[in-house]
Amino acid sequence: MTLKRQLFIASLLMLLIPWAGLQFVLELDQALRQQALQHLQDQAERLAETAGDLSLGLPRLTPRTPAIYVESLESPLNLDGYGSDWPGYDEELQRQNWQPIEPAEQPTDSADGRSMRWQAATDQSHLYLLIRIRNSQPLFFNPGAPEQSHDQLRLWLTAANGNLDTDRQPESWLIRTPAPGKVHATTQASGQTVSNTNRKPDYRVHGAWQTVSNGWQLELELPKPANGSRLGFAARQPGSSDRVQISTSINPLPVLVARQPDIERQLSPGMSRGQHARLVESAGWVIAQQTTPSRQAPPEFETLSPLQVIERISLNVLQALVQVYQPKPVTLTASTNRLNMDRLPGEGLVRHEDNSTWLMTTKPVFGGRTLILEQSLDQLLTLSGSALGSVIARSMLIIIGLTLVLLGYASWLSWRIAGLQRAVSASTDQDGRITGTVPASRAQDELGQLQNHFAQMANRLHGYNHYLESFSQRLSHELKTPVAVVRSSLENLSHSESDEERAQYIGRATAATERLRKILNGMSEATRLEQSFDHADKEMFDLADVIGQATAAYQALDSHHQFDYAGPESGVNVQGSPELMVQLLDKLVDNARDFTPQDGWIQIALEQTESHICLLVFNQGQALPNNAGTSIFSPFVSVRKGREEGHLGQGLLIVQLIADFHGGRVAASNEVRNKHDGVCFRVFVPAPGPD
């Protein structure tokens, strides 16, 4: 099975986490709803007692009692007769704010097809009426011929007396106008008979009359009546043959039903955040309504970051999943002024027109009224985007993201491994010889390090192969001269006639033989040095004193180069072998002399820090190549061409071995010191501890 498939199967097992999280959320949602319902019932019981005490003075309304609902306004209306500033106004009469004629004994439409709708509102100082007559072209009042047929509106008002007594004599007004525009009502003078001549204006009742499409419209303002007052009106055309009239209920007049600000103010302190309370008459009219804001308003979409947008989407998905397992809520219109009490559930989940879900409970209130208290489920843990819901949503996002990342990462690893395999295969031929290089990787992970190690190994093997292939030629070249000297000396020795000539040839042969011995001994010197480490003893010695004396000796023995020592004269103690450190310095100086031009500069320096001591040898001259192909401290490796013969690349190997014996390390780099280009070798050995 490939690595990609293994990671894919492992990532699928992570899907168990969101499944288990969803099961937990569903159980938590059910428990929270039960707890919230119990808390809601306790709150509703307390609010019902408060509402019952405050509504004692209000009249009782039965489902058969005619009523006109008065909406609440934030500010006074502009009386222009058009009604555009009324809440929910719709000229086509399609909004629920328009109230039709409700009493069963009164027809909605008149015999000639006319119909009447109205709205009522209050700003707590005045009562506003908006009356609309459809399917009737307006007939205006002619003061010169008052008996001619014309449109007029009769208005009756019975002040409240604590009950719904219908025997009291109502106050009445007449409204008519000779032309569209401002109007005011007239009333009959006290003690006079009703006629068109003995009426007086009442400027408390005024408004505007306007012609609208397919009818006319009247907007009125009058002083706000007391709670429980009765108000009725009728549109008439006196003077016509049939005296057509459409009206509200006349006997009895409709009761004015309005929201009670006093009750609403008293309900608010007993409510929690995210709740909606309504006090409803038995007929379904809402006489008090209060809403408390949620704990946290939803943020604007423009302010969300991309991560928050994804989180909100995940929360919506979580909400949808939770709602699948929730009981089906009952649809309930939250903004209506009248509820259908027959279809109102006692408790449970309800859904508003904005598709929000609420937990509802009801409690009876003294006087036949009902208190409805709702709690927004957005306040509950599983649906509000709070800590746990956010954790579940983010966990799902993280799991999906991790699955995609794992698949992508597996593909990337497969591609890198396949690339490494192709590179390694391309670096060797069929006989196993290193014919190319493996490209280095910039990645810092284990696979990148593995590729870099493969690249280093291939480069070293390639360098070793090249060195071994040329080693025989180099060894033959190094041995050819002394062997030729020995051979020529022996040949000349057989033909020599004098003892002086024979001694000269024997001396030349002896010198060549000694040179051969040194070459062979140099080839085995590293092996003997490693064996000597087993018997070498370490001691504490002053490295600065040893290096200073050795530098002075080098300068005395070599007048063709300039030696310079930079460092302390004493006080640099090192745990090790002074003989081996001198041997290490000899190899570095020999290597520096070999590559330093005539009268060139060689610097020996000693630096000390708290953690290590650094021995530095810099030589002016030829630089190291940028790509040596292998380590210059490896055996039989030489990357620079020196002037001395017999240079087989063993000196730096001995430096590496002695540095390892002292627990140090060796490094080489091209540098510029005192405006001289050259190569700097550094040997780092650990500084001794305080003991």
Side-chain angles (χ1 to χ4, degrees):
M1 185 179 295
T2 62
L3 180 62
K4 184 187 298 184
R5 291 185 179 180
Q6 294 177 9
L7 290 177
F8 177 72
I9 294 176
S11 62
L12 289 180
L13 296 177
M14 298 175 64
L15 296 177
L16 295 175
I17 298 177
W19 178 83
L22 178 61
Q23 299 301 317
F24 174 72
V25 168
L26 294 177
E27 295 178 1
L28 181 62
D29 175 73
Q30 183 177 4
L32 287 176
R33 280 191 287 108
Q34 294 294 333
Q35 182 180 4
L37 181 59
Q38 181 63 42
H39 177 69
L40 204 64
Q41 291 174 345
D42 297 338
Q43 275 189 299
E45 187 172 355
R46 293 192 296 269
L47 292 177
E49 295 178 358
T50 302
D53 296 338
L54 296 174
S55 61
L56 290 176
L58 298 179
R60 299 184 181 182
L61 302 178
T62 66
R64 298 293 300 174
T65 302
I68 294 178
Y69 192 82
V70 182
E71 300 183 44
S72 298
L73 298 174
E74 298 294 334
S75 60
L77 296 173
N78 179 27
L79 299 180
D80 55 5
Y82 292 105
S84 57
D85 53 348
W86 280 71
Y89 174 80
D90 191 342
E91 188 175 349
E92 298 300 324
L93 308 180
Q94 296 175 353
R95 298 294 296 269
Q96 294 182 359
N97 300 64
W98 289 102
Q99 299 182 40
I101 297 176
E102 296 191 15
E105 65 271 13
Q106 296 292 340
T108 302
D109 299 330
S110 64
D112 61 352
R114 293 194 304 165
S115 62
M116 180 169 63
R117 297 292 187 273
W118 64 84
Q119 286 182 250
T122 179
D123 61 356
Q124 308 306 322
S125 297
H126 302 88
L127 175 66
Y128 298 94
L129 292 175
L130 180 63
I131 302 172
R132 176 76 177 274
I133 304 298
R134 298 186 65 191
N135 302 325
S136 174
Q137 293 300 323
L139 299 177
F140 294 104
F141 172 65
N142 185 358
E147 300 301 328
Q148 290 183 1
S149 178
H150 61 276
D151 285 303
Q152 63 177 230
L153 184 76
R154 295 296 302 268
L155 192 65
W156 298 276
L157 175 64
T158 302
N161 62 347
N163 53 49
L164 298 183
D165 184 12
T166 59
D167 296 333
R168 299 184 61 188
Q169 185 67 27
E171 187 177 3
S172 65
W173 293 271
L174 175 64
I175 303 170
R176 56 189 179 181
T177 180
K182 299 293 183 178
V183 297
H184 60 269
T186 59
T187 183
Q188 186 70 35
S190 177
Q192 297 184 5
T193 60
V194 177
S195 68
N196 291 325
T197 59
N198 56 0
R199 308 192 66 86
K200 64 177 182 178
D202 188 350
Y203 295 103
R204 296 177 305 163
V205 182
H206 62 94
W209 189 314
Q210 295 293 347
T211 301
V212 294
S213 60
N214 197 24
W216 55 271
Q217 192 165 270
L218 178 61
E219 194 174 16
L220 291 176
E221 175 189 305
L222 62 154
K224 180 186 176 183
N227 292 332
S229 299
R230 291 178 174 270
L231 176 70
F233 42 85
R236 313 171 93 183
Q237 283 187 352
S240 61
S241 58
D242 53 0
R243 299 181 62 83
V244 179
Q245 172 178 309
I246 54 176
S247 67
T248 63
S249 173
I250 303 300
N251 188 20
L253 294 175
V255 179
L256 293 175
V257 181
R259 289 168 55 180
Q260 305 298 316
D262 295 338
I263 299 179
E264 293 178 344
R265 285 192 295 268
Q266 294 298 324
L267 290 178
S268 180
M271 298 172 58
S272 303
R273 290 187 176 272
Q275 290 186 343
H276 183 72
R278 279 176 285 190
L279 183 60
V280 184
E281 292 282 356
S282 59
W285 297 108
V286 178
I287 61 173
Q289 183 171 266
Q290 188 65 271
T291 301
T292 55
S294 301
R295 294 186 182 274
Q296 184 176 4
E300 296 293 337
F301 180 80
E302 293 78 5
T303 62
L304 297 177
S305 64
L307 179 60
Q308 290 174 327
V309 171
I310 298 176
E311 182 179 341
R312 296 299 302 179
I313 295 175
S314 302
L315 288 174
N316 291 335
V317 173
L318 181 62
Q319 290 180 9
L321 291 175
V322 172
Q323 290 176 359
V324 170
Y325 294 93
Q326 285 180 344
K328 185 177 180 181
V330 178
T331 302
L332 183 66
T333 304
S335 60
T336 185
N337 297 323
R338 188 175 187 182
L339 301 178
N340 187 347
M341 303 302 291
D342 295 333
R343 300 182 57 183
L344 185 68
E347 62 182 28
L349 295 178
V350 294
R351 178 174 286 118
H352 289 181
E353 289 180 333
D354 58 357
N355 206 32
S356 61
T357 306
W358 297 69
L359 187 63
M360 186 194 74
T361 186
T362 60
K363 288 294 180 180
V365 180
F366 178 79
R369 302 178 181 89
T370 302
L371 177 74
I372 302 174
L373 183 61
E374 298 171 276
Q375 171 71 60
S376 173
L377 286 188
D378 289 340
Q379 294 295 313
L380 295 183
L381 192 59
T382 55
L383 299 180
S384 64
S386 56
L388 183 59
S390 180
V391 167
I392 296 298
R394 293 188 182 187
S395 299
M396 296 179 65
L397 285 178
I398 292 174
I399 290 171
I400 296 174
L402 285 178
T403 303
L404 298 177
V405 169
L406 286 176
L407 292 178
Y409 181 68
S411 302
W412 182 59
L413 285 180
S414 300
W415 175 77
R416 290 179 62 188
I417 294 174
L420 178 59
Q421 181 181 4
R422 290 191 299 267
V424 172
S425 299
S427 64
T428 59
D429 58 10
Q430 296 180 354
D431 297 331
R433 299 179 59 188
I434 304 297
T435 58
T437 59
V438 178
S441 174
R442 296 182 179 180
Q444 301 298 323
D445 55 4
E446 289 80 359
L447 190 57
Q449 295 177 2
L450 177 62
Q451 182 171 346
N452 291 332
H453 287 314
F454 269 114
Q456 295 175 6
M457 182 183 68
N459 292 336
R460 290 179 180 179
L461 289 177
H462 184 71
Y464 285 150
N465 289 339
H466 177 73
Y467 179 80
L468 292 177
E469 290 173 356
S470 62
F471 181 73
S472 60
Q473 298 178 358
R474 296 177 61 191
L475 185 60
S476 174
H477 174 75
E478 297 294 339
L479 297 178
K480 184 182 297 185
T481 300
V483 170
V485 171
V486 172
R487 182 176 180 179
S488 63
S489 298
L490 293 177
E491 290 178 352
N492 293 331
L493 181 63
S494 63
H495 298 289
S496 61
E497 296 179 354
S498 64
D499 293 338
E500 183 179 355
E501 291 180 349
R502 285 192 293 271
Q504 181 180 359
Y505 293 136
I506 292 173
R508 292 177 59 187
T510 302
T513 304
E514 180 64 21
R515 185 176 178 183
L516 287 174
R517 185 187 66 80
K518 290 182 178 180
I519 292 175
L520 296 177
N521 287 339
M523 295 177 60
S524 60
E525 183 179 1
T527 302
R528 293 197 306 271
L529 179 64
E530 289 183 305
Q531 294 175 353
S532 68
F533 288 159
D534 296 335
H535 306 284
D537 295 329
K538 291 184 179 181
E539 59 180 278
M540 187 68 68
F541 66 96
D542 190 348
L543 181 61
D545 182 57
V546 172
I547 300 301
Q549 295 180 13
T551 304
Y554 297 145
Q555 185 65 71
L557 296 175
D558 187 355
S559 60
H560 302 291
H561 298 94
Q562 300 178 13
F563 287 87
D564 180 23
Y565 172 70
E569 296 181 357
S570 61
V572 182
N573 296 324
V574 174
Q575 182 76 23
S577 172
E579 293 80 8
L580 292 178
M581 290 302 295
V582 172
Q583 186 177 0
L584 178 146
L585 184 60
D586 289 342
K587 296 299 181 182
L588 290 177
V589 172
D590 289 342
N591 180 79
R593 292 171 56 196
D594 191 17
F595 297 103
T596 303
Q598 188 76 15
D599 297 328
W601 180 56
I602 300 176
Q603 183 186 38
I604 302 174
L606 194 62
E607 301 173 352
Q608 183 177 11
T609 64
E610 294 182 358
S611 60
H612 64 269
I613 298 171
C614 176
L615 173 61
L616 181 149
V617 177
F618 173 82
N619 70 277
Q620 176 187 357
Q622 179 185 356
L624 294 172
N626 293 329
N627 186 10
T630 185
S631 174
I632 62 175
F633 300 100
S634 300
F636 304 110
V637 175
S638 178
V639 296
R640 294 191 294 177
K641 294 183 179 181
R643 303 185 314 276
E644 300 294 334
E645 297 180 356
H647 190 78
L648 298 180
Q650 298 293 300
L652 295 182
L653 172 62
I654 294 175
V655 171
Q656 177 72 59
L657 294 175
I658 296 176
D660 291 341
F661 173 75
H662 288 83
R665 58 185 177 87
V666 185
S669 62
N670 297 323
E671 289 188 10
V672 178
R673 298 178 72 90
N674 293 339
K675 301 181 180 180
H676 297 294
D677 295 333
V679 178
C680 183
F681 288 85
R682 288 182 172 85
V683 180
F684 298 93
V685 294
D691 296 335

